[in-house]
Amino acid sequence: MKLPSVSFIAFDKRVWLLVLSGVLAILLGFYSIPGTAAILFVSKTGYWFVLASFVLFVRALWRTLGEHMRGLRWRSVDWGSAAIIGLGGLVLLVHETFGFKIIMDEIMLLGTSMSMHFDRTVLTPMRGNDIQGAFVILDGIMDKRPLFFPFLLSLIHDFTGYRPENAFVLNGLLTFVFLGLVNLAGRLLAGRVAGWIAVILFAGLPLLGQNATGGGFELLNLVMILATMLLGVRYLARRDEPAMTAFCLSGLLLAQVRYESTLYLLPVALVVLWVWLGERRVTLSWPVIFAPLLLLPYPLQHRIFELRTSAWQLESKPDYGTPFSLRYVPENLSHAASFFFGNPKNQPSSLVLSILGFVALPFFLLLLAKKVRTLRAESPAFASLAFFTIGFAGQFVLMMAYFWGKFDDPVIRRLSLPTNLWLVLGLVAILPQFPRAAFQRGLLALAVLGLIVSGVPSMAAHAYSQEYLPGREIAWCRQFIADHPRKDYLMIDSNSVLWITHEISATSPVEARRRIDAIAFHMRNHTFSAIYVCQRFNIDPDTGGMTLRDGDDLGPEFVLEPVREERLQVLTLDRISRLVELRPAAKAAVKPDDGSAVVPKDPKKIEKLRRDYLEKFVKELP
Amino acid sequence: MPRLPLIPQVRADNRRLLLFVLCGVLAILVGFVAVPVQVAEDLIESTGYFYIAGLFALFVFFGWRVAQPRREVWQPWLRRPGWTGVALAAATVFVLCSDPFRHKILFDEYVLQATAWHMHATKEIGTVIRAYDLFGTWQPIDTFLDKRPYFFAFLLSLVHDLTGYRLANAFFLNGALAAAFLGLTFWFGRQLTNRTGGLVSVALLATMPLLGQNATSAGMEIHNLTMLAFTMCAALLYLRAPGEDRLALLCLSTVLLAQSRYESAAFALSSAIIVVAGWRRAGRIILPWALIFTPLLLVPYAWQNRVLSATPLLWQLQEGQKSRFALSYLEGNLEGAWKFFFNFGPSLANSWWLSALSLGALLWVGGGVFWRRRFPHFALRLERAPETVGLAYGLVVAGNLAMLMFYYWSRLDDTIASRFALPSYFIMALVVALVLQQLDRRWPATRLAFIGTGIFLFVSALPAIAHRLYTDENLVMQEVQWEHDVIASTGAARVLVISNKSTIPWVLWKIPALITGVARDRAEQIRWHMQHHTFDEVIVTQSLRPTTADGNFGVDPDDLLPKSYHLETIAVKRFGGRVARLCRLVSIDPPAAARAHPAGTPAS
């Protein structure tokens, strides 16, 4: 076979500029900037990088889709598909309770969005207080998670005001966008009914419902994968500069949703190259030339893994030495099987989707192998999916080689969502091979049956989420916050970020013990309306004795009075207590002041004392 | 175009002209000489409501007379506003979402609401400071004539009349006024430049946090701005086609504008210029009845101003200050203005972007006027009605700002005084749009201004709106709200509050209240009512202040009650560097026992 000449690429100045920009990005991202400086750089500039990427993406979308959008008329809308998308989205949203489901991940994302909203910095707040009437973030740390989801969330905060529940609003909206894109992908691959099949299969996937009602970035990841793939379809169909810019910038943003989503940059690059070779001309725009530099925060932020070895969370699985290894694959594959084909009561998977998907996937891969040489003659939708199959497969292999890549683990299940998408798209892609309409109608009926018989009961019971205690603890703490709307108290809790992201002053038990004098100062001076302590106990099944979990013990100096407790699981107890008295060693017991001192009459003296007090107050803040 | 004579040929009805002059002389005599201050005060209190109601009715009547023949112009736009309507709606929603609906300026906004309540309930002008529930009816006992003009309070009372009394009506009114203001800004900006220019003006104003802060408050600033914008639009309509109805509308709008804020009376000068300019255009003197009586319609404003001048208590001077206007305030105020207009942090509600554009625009205009050759693209076409109107009102806005620089409480970087910059920002936004349109001939200036506004939005406006330090650091407002929440949560139906701040918010919540000073003197009466169970609870509010850097709080000397008052703490909360305390008054010792404990010693 004669290979196509690539000399036209080598002689294009813009290509060299793109290469230069890429090399510069690699040098800056991986070599030139030391770890600590890299983190500082991202914390100060990360927001602006994502904002610039997003603005360029929206502009590119408008350039390529604007004409189409202007031509939209109410009469031209496919109301049947819209109704199915609407109903599918409702099914996903109504059965689960809105809440932060995955401890740390979702709260850390919320925290980053909070600092982006307030200060345009990329930090998860670790200290925050109301000093002069407004809650202000005093300190924070850089999180390891990519920035696009917190950025979008911060946009909602910007235009509607800060509230943690905005994360659910965003994911709720993304659910409908995702189903709309799934419908479009199905329709492009195999017609109108195929779009409906794809939507209904996802509407019956409890895992999707769980994430649609959470505060995580999984829905956005799915939306961006599909959006990029569909923009790839448009680029393959039109082969013009606006479509290419939108496609590349979509890939750029996708890479900043989840860590491993950078994998999808490979199919994006391959599609662009493939079109150039087919057209024998280079299509490039300035935003694409600078795109590698816009991606700079990603590798710089990744330095956290060098600086903070705990970022890999390897300590949570003591038997594993490295984050990625092929030796994890067999075990992870068995866990994947246990997830995809598990009992719907125990696993939020969809048997119908898994069975249909895993039956279809080999056929799809065979079809792909058969058509790969004649891919240019295929529809743009099939060609785009062919390239994105590399991304889907890469993501699946990566997960299987990950030390924590067990799809049946409550925390990890969500990582199977791109694979579920791959299964559905694979199924839809082979449907044109079965030309009889009855076949598609039969599949549609099967999908509806699966939704009603398996999906909805599983979502309604959501037994699969009950075993994950941290998620339920967050919901319990949030109920306490809802019951105490005046957020003027201090919470001592090992998960202090949760409280700070809800604009409540908080500190950890370790810090509270270390700075007991500061706590005493604030208790005496009514800094907070109350000081609460949140603790978790494990219960001995034989004796019924309760032991505090590691890190929750405050010691005998803190005299507590329980105000609320609940056994969220049989052998655990969560308790919130009020601090009623402090008994620091060798000092008098501390209680709130009764306000009996005599104040000088001179207003100037009063003002000076107020300033002196505030100065000390700020120094003593937890 | 033939040159118009400076003084138009007099073709007016001589009797009307004579009457106009007589009204002017009479207005000066009645307003400043013939009527003593006390009589003026009584007259405002008893007849002011009907004066402003009549004025407003005439304003609506002439507004309709002007709008009705041009129905074909505005009705299609209202039916299909298109993208412009979407942009204006988006700007209004953004403005109204950028700050919470709550009281921002204490106690100005409560005073206005108390005046509105009194107008609603009694059709008299007065601010209620003491009221009781007598036999099931909330009865005002003591009122005073406030210094603030009362058109806003009247409009609010009208909303109460039509929908029932509630505190939130002030927010609804200001929300509606904000939408009207942005619409009028767009219209005037469009007449001054073009559609894009109008949208630039709206975008520049909507992205300024100060506008959102005031649009969601219960104050009169947005109302004043709306009246200013309306008056400018009325002036433009008149100048384009001088006629009796349009001139009447302009006159009435000007009088109502004068009743919107103290210094807005100065816009009468702008309107006078426009009236004469209209006469020149028409080539005749147009004298509708509304214009003839305009001097007399301004008399209540003069009376109220005299009452204010004669009542130093209303000036709210701070320690060491002797007069409201002085040269000595200039330096501090100029420094404050500079810090405000070019503040880049989130602590103030300004727009440095609009300030910078305005500075550039003013330099451009200055350069164009003085070095015409070096600014070939500059054109100030005063023969065009929008430019004439803009200049006439813009100069008075500038004059007002200059006058404010001599006022004792006009440091614009003080969050309480920042709102005084709103009229300046309004005119600045229009000037910027005008200059951008001229620059568009050479550069894509308007496009760049839009991009700059977007950048400003993300770099400065949104972070400032997120923090809302200029609103949330108003601790007294938070304290009053907290006190009310705690007292409401006690569940007591009949409460008497002894407040260390003001009685007015409590009066508006229909809770009887006294200030601490009065309570000190009226111990016997309070004890009598406690004995007779007039109130379920008597709650005392106090401030605790630190006496050392370590805290050691004590009661503020101004809030101390005699020792004969026995208190029991029910709630304590910190507000910045002080602590607010609510106590239940348990008992008051009878006079014989009280004499043993002199006033001023702390109550237990």
Side-chain angles (χ1 to χ4, degrees), chain A residues 53-64:
Chain A
S53 309
F54 184 68
V55 169
L56 289 172
F57 173 62
V58 172
R59 180 174 168 269
L61 267 188
W62 183 249
R63 284 181 64 214
T64 186

mmCIF file of all heavy atoms in Angstrom, chain A residues 53-64:
data_model
loop_
_atom_site.group_PDB
_atom_site.id
_atom_site.type_symbol
_atom_site.label_atom_id
_atom_site.label_comp_id
_atom_site.label_asym_id
_atom_site.label_seq_id
_atom_site.Cartn_x
_atom_site.Cartn_y
_atom_site.Cartn_z
ATOM 1 N N SER A 53 -9.741 28.881 27.888
ATOM 2 C CA SER A 53 -10.091 27.709 27.064
ATOM 3 C C SER A 53 -11.597 27.663 26.844
ATOM 4 O O SER A 53 -12.074 27.384 25.737
ATOM 5 C CB SER A 53 -9.655 26.410 27.749
ATOM 6 O OG SER A 53 -8.322 26.479 28.128
ATOM 7 N N PHE A 54 -12.341 27.925 27.900
ATOM 8 C CA PHE A 54 -13.799 27.826 27.818
ATOM 9 C C PHE A 54 -14.373 28.902 26.897
ATOM 10 O O PHE A 54 -15.242 28.622 26.063
ATOM 11 C CB PHE A 54 -14.391 27.948 29.229
ATOM 12 C CG PHE A 54 -15.882 27.776 29.271
ATOM 13 C CD1 PHE A 54 -16.459 26.548 28.996
ATOM 14 C CD2 PHE A 54 -16.710 28.835 29.587
ATOM 15 C CE1 PHE A 54 -17.834 26.380 29.026
ATOM 16 C CE2 PHE A 54 -18.083 28.685 29.629
ATOM 17 C CZ PHE A 54 -18.649 27.447 29.344
ATOM 18 N N VAL A 55 -13.857 30.133 27.027
ATOM 19 C CA VAL A 55 -14.346 31.225 26.169
ATOM 20 C C VAL A 55 -14.050 30.908 24.706
ATOM 21 O O VAL A 55 -14.908 31.067 23.825
ATOM 22 C CB VAL A 55 -13.712 32.573 26.596
ATOM 23 C CG1 VAL A 55 -13.993 33.666 25.571
ATOM 24 C CG2 VAL A 55 -14.232 32.995 27.963
ATOM 25 N N LEU A 56 -12.834 30.414 24.450
ATOM 26 C CA LEU A 56 -12.475 30.061 23.078
ATOM 27 C C LEU A 56 -13.358 28.931 22.561
ATOM 28 O O LEU A 56 -13.771 28.926 21.391
ATOM 29 C CB LEU A 56 -10.997 29.649 23.014
ATOM 30 C CG LEU A 56 -9.986 30.784 23.189
ATOM 31 C CD1 LEU A 56 -8.569 30.222 23.313
ATOM 32 C CD2 LEU A 56 -10.052 31.750 22.005
ATOM 33 N N PHE A 57 -13.670 27.983 23.432
ATOM 34 C CA PHE A 57 -14.519 26.855 23.041
ATOM 35 C C PHE A 57 -15.933 27.335 22.693
ATOM 36 O O PHE A 57 -16.492 26.953 21.663
ATOM 37 C CB PHE A 57 -14.555 25.829 24.178
ATOM 38 C CG PHE A 57 -15.527 24.700 23.954
ATOM 39 C CD1 PHE A 57 -15.386 23.837 22.880
ATOM 40 C CD2 PHE A 57 -16.591 24.495 24.820
ATOM 41 C CE1 PHE A 57 -16.277 22.793 22.670
ATOM 42 C CE2 PHE A 57 -17.491 23.460 24.627
ATOM 43 C CZ PHE A 57 -17.341 22.608 23.537
ATOM 44 N N VAL A 58 -16.483 28.199 23.552
ATOM 45 C CA VAL A 58 -17.843 28.709 23.294
ATOM 46 C C VAL A 58 -17.864 29.495 21.988
ATOM 47 O O VAL A 58 -18.780 29.360 21.170
ATOM 48 C CB VAL A 58 -18.331 29.572 24.484
ATOM 49 C CG1 VAL A 58 -19.634 30.268 24.158
ATOM 50 C CG2 VAL A 58 -18.502 28.711 25.728
ATOM 51 N N ARG A 59 -16.823 30.277 21.775
ATOM 52 C CA ARG A 59 -16.734 31.059 20.531
ATOM 53 C C ARG A 59 -16.656 30.122 19.324
ATOM 54 O O ARG A 59 -17.345 30.324 18.311
ATOM 55 C CB ARG A 59 -15.491 31.961 20.599
ATOM 56 C CG ARG A 59 -15.277 32.829 19.397
ATOM 57 C CD ARG A 59 -14.121 33.796 19.604
ATOM 58 N NE ARG A 59 -13.755 34.424 18.357
ATOM 59 C CZ ARG A 59 -12.839 33.964 17.522
ATOM 60 N NH1 ARG A 59 -12.189 32.849 17.815
ATOM 61 N NH2 ARG A 59 -12.551 34.609 16.411
ATOM 62 N N ALA A 60 -15.827 29.088 19.459
ATOM 63 C CA ALA A 60 -15.679 28.136 18.355
ATOM 64 C C ALA A 60 -16.995 27.402 18.097
ATOM 65 O O ALA A 60 -17.376 27.186 16.946
ATOM 66 C CB ALA A 60 -14.572 27.140 18.685
ATOM 67 N N LEU A 61 -17.692 27.046 19.172
ATOM 68 C CA LEU A 61 -18.993 26.384 19.023
ATOM 69 C C LEU A 61 -19.956 27.281 18.263
ATOM 70 O O LEU A 61 -20.678 26.842 17.376
ATOM 71 C CB LEU A 61 -19.589 26.083 20.389
ATOM 72 C CG LEU A 61 -19.334 24.713 21.019
ATOM 73 C CD1 LEU A 61 -20.174 24.554 22.269
ATOM 74 C CD2 LEU A 61 -19.644 23.577 20.048
ATOM 75 N N TRP A 62 -19.955 28.555 18.650
ATOM 76 C CA TRP A 62 -20.858 29.506 18.001
ATOM 77 C C TRP A 62 -20.519 29.650 16.525
ATOM 78 O O TRP A 62 -21.396 29.732 15.664
ATOM 79 C CB TRP A 62 -20.813 30.860 18.721
ATOM 80 C CG TRP A 62 -21.770 31.848 18.138
ATOM 81 C CD1 TRP A 62 -21.479 32.973 17.443
ATOM 82 C CD2 TRP A 62 -23.206 31.775 18.175
ATOM 83 N NE1 TRP A 62 -22.629 33.612 17.053
ATOM 84 C CE2 TRP A 62 -23.708 32.908 17.486
ATOM 85 C CE3 TRP A 62 -24.108 30.877 18.722
ATOM 86 C CZ2 TRP A 62 -25.073 33.150 17.321
ATOM 87 C CZ3 TRP A 62 -25.466 31.120 18.566
ATOM 88 C CH2 TRP A 62 -25.936 32.243 17.876
ATOM 89 N N ARG A 63 -19.213 29.661 16.243
ATOM 90 C CA ARG A 63 -18.795 29.818 14.832
ATOM 91 C C ARG A 63 -19.226 28.630 13.991
ATOM 92 O O ARG A 63 -19.634 28.790 12.848
ATOM 93 C CB ARG A 63 -17.281 29.989 14.759
ATOM 94 C CG ARG A 63 -16.840 31.405 15.186
ATOM 95 C CD ARG A 63 -15.348 31.539 15.066
ATOM 96 N NE ARG A 63 -14.898 31.418 13.699
ATOM 97 C CZ ARG A 63 -13.745 30.862 13.335
ATOM 98 N NH1 ARG A 63 -12.945 30.380 14.244
ATOM 99 N NH2 ARG A 63 -13.399 30.817 12.068
ATOM 100 N N THR A 64 -19.143 27.446 14.586
ATOM 101 C CA THR A 64 -19.465 26.280 13.763
ATOM 102 C C THR A 64 -20.957 25.935 13.797
ATOM 103 O O THR A 64 -21.491 25.395 12.838
ATOM 104 C CB THR A 64 -18.601 25.057 14.155
ATOM 105 O OG1 THR A 64 -18.855 24.003 13.238
ATOM 106 C CG2 THR A 64 -18.895 24.571 15.556
#
